[in-house]
Amino acid sequence: MPFAVYVLGLAVFAQGTSEFMLSGLVSAIAADLDVSLSAAGLLTSAFAVGMVLGAPLMALFSRTWPRRRALLLFLAVFIAVHIVGALTPGYGVLLAARFVGALANAGFWAVALAAAVSMVPDGLRGRATAVVVGGVTIACVVGVPAGAVLGERWGWRAAFWAVAVVSLPALWAITRSVPGGVPGGRDRGRGGGTAPVADARGTAPAGQEPEKAPAPARTPAPARTPAPARTPAPIPVRDELRLLLTAPHLLPTLLTMALVQGATFCAFSYLEPLLTRTTGLTTTWVPVALALFGAGAFLGVGAAGRYAERRPTAFIAYGMAALALGWSTLALTAGRPVAALALIPLLGMLAFGTGTALITRVLGLAGRSSTLAGAFGTSAFNLGAAVGPWAGGLALEAGGGYRAPVWVSAALMALALLTEGARRLRRVRSRKRASGSTAG
């Protein structure tokens, strides 16, 4: 695996920490800036909205840029807004900084996913995707609890400073390791990518000696200067969007991804009241449970990277069915501490393993439109992250009790299974029509 892919995972770790760390800092921010808890909670909503809107917009904005330049710009903006957020005394500036930071994060995600799969052979696409997505899972295990500890000891601004500082090594490493090619072909980066290939006229790329043909007798052939490497022209925006919208099974896969992530973040957002008020655990067990969920997520991403490429359809289908059963079981057994703590890492593994496999499928279905596909996948991921907690909150306000968000997660997984089943049925029918037309 190229070193550059791990660099992208490091940057995503810092960004994932920023996205989720406010769950432990809301009260401190509200007190310091003299705003209500609900207003402080809008800082998380602003980030989610920025991610949903920003992924396709930033991908379109930077689609013709060299990927290294795009990654550096997005990461530099992300660092800058966290410095602004750490220094500002006003709520409005902090809210705007969160939104702009989400736009930069979304753009980075979209380009990073496309860049990672372009630097490896087709058989390693799943592992490359897993390394990038794994940054989020490590953020859940390490970054978010660490942000909470920093906020408790030195104030919430220390967590913002920490995110900026952690991002700096990734900024430097991207300049040293990520290839500078534009989208449209495989990058020939350090340690990965494809080998240079001569063009149709037999001219080798720059930096590679052309193969010399034998010279005719008495007539020496003139020396030929290697032609510069040709950079594939980017696909026009209209054509790229058309390719995406007409790609078979892409839109149903995006819908399925949003439902799976909605189920994940619906239950995850209300895990603390479930454990403390239904399971009966003390608040000291909450960080432990969050770390268990994150550890399971890390294992799930690794499993998806290794095994999802072999049988992707079965991997996704079994993972989704297990998630529907798992969320239902957690809702039924939430009053038993041992059962709840045993289920939490298992559900984290299933949720992020299935989600990673779905992202890999999206990138595979998109073909040459990988950057915009990564953007749409990022939007679907964060749409679920925004809608899931909202749906769980509605269930709580309706008087469903603290198990209600977990039941909502189970219902969202049932919908995801329906969308996946409908996609597979359409695929079978299209194959039958194609075979019938061929036979006729």
Side-chain angles (χ1 to χ4, degrees), residues 90-120:
Y91 171 79
V93 175
L94 182 58
L95 184 67
R98 290 292 288 173
F99 182 77
V100 174
L103 292 178
N105 187 6
F108 188 95
W109 257 95
V111 179
L113 287 171
V117 299
S118 74
M119 289 187 286
V120 298

Side-chain angles (χ1 to χ4, degrees), residues 248-249 425-436:
H249 316 297
L425 182 60
R426 285 194 296 270
R427 184 179 181 183
V428 170
R429 287 178 176 175
S430 63
R431 285 182 174 179
K432 287 182 177 179
R433 286 195 299 267
S435 61

Side-chain angles (χ1 to χ4, degrees), residues 3-16 67-79 108 112 135 162-179:
F3 174 70
V5 177
Y6 294 99
V7 170
L8 298 177
L10 172 63
V12 168
F13 161 75
Q15 294 168 0
R67 283 179 173 141
R68 183 196 299 149
R69 181 196 301 175
L71 291 169
L72 289 174
L73 174 64
F74 289 134
L75 188 55
V77 172
F78 179 82
I79 294 171
F108 188 95
V163 169
V165 170
V166 169
S167 301
L168 289 175
L171 189 70
W172 174 83
I174 286 172
T175 64
R176 305 289 298 174
S177 62
V178 174

Side-chain angles (χ1 to χ4, degrees), residues 136-420:
V136 177
T137 65
I138 297 175
C140 292
V141 178
V142 179
V144 175
V149 171
L150 287 174
E152 182 180 352
R153 293 192 175 184
W154 293 294
W156 63 269
R157 299 176 191 273
F160 279 72
W161 281 113
V163 169
V165 170
V166 169
S167 301
L168 289 175
L171 189 70
W172 174 83
I174 286 172
T175 64
R176 305 289 298 174
S177 62
V178 174
V182 298
R186 286 205 178 276
D187 290 321
R188 297 189 291 271
R190 300 177 184 177
T194 57
V197 179
D199 66 17
R201 300 173 300 173
T203 304
Q208 175 179 315
E209 290 296 329
E211 183 179 354
K212 295 181 180 179
R218 301 181 182 178
T219 308
R224 290 176 24 169
T225 302
R230 292 184 174 184
T231 300
I235 309 174
V237 175
R238 181 181 301 178
D239 293 342
E240 189 165 355
L241 287 172
R242 178 178 56 80
L243 286 172
L244 280 176
L245 295 176
T246 58
H249 316 297
L250 179 61
L251 294 180
T253 300
L254 291 172
L255 176 59
T256 301
M257 183 189 301
L259 290 169
V260 171
Q261 297 307 321
T264 300
F265 287 100
C266 177
F268 182 76
S269 298
Y270 299 100
L271 197 58
E272 182 269 328
L274 177 75
L275 294 175
T276 57
R277 304 182 190 187
T278 299
T279 308
L281 297 173
T282 62
T283 55
T284 56
W285 279 95
V286 174
V288 176
L290 294 176
L292 287 173
F293 185 90
F298 181 77
L299 294 176
V301 169
R306 287 184 174 273
Y307 304 115
E309 287 277 357
R310 301 178 186 177
R311 298 183 61 193
T313 301
F315 189 95
I316 292 171
Y318 292 149
M320 290 168 55
L323 276 170
L325 178 62
W327 290 125
S328 301
T329 304
L330 178 60
L332 291 171
T333 62
R336 302 175 183 177
V338 174
L341 291 175
L343 282 169
I344 284 171
L346 178 62
L347 288 165
M349 180 179 67
L350 291 169
F352 276 82
T354 306
T356 301
L358 285 167
I359 292 175
T360 303
R361 177 195 281 176
V362 167
L363 295 173
L365 291 172
R368 293 178 64 195
S369 305
S370 57
T371 301
L372 279 183
F376 286 177
T378 301
S379 291
F381 184 100
N382 286 279
L383 180 63
V387 172
W390 171 77
L394 290 180
L396 280 174
E397 292 178 0
Y402 297 106
R403 300 174 194 247
V406 187
W407 283 118
V408 172
S409 293
L412 290 173
M413 285 308 310
L415 290 175
L417 284 169
L418 289 176
T419 60
E420 175 66 8

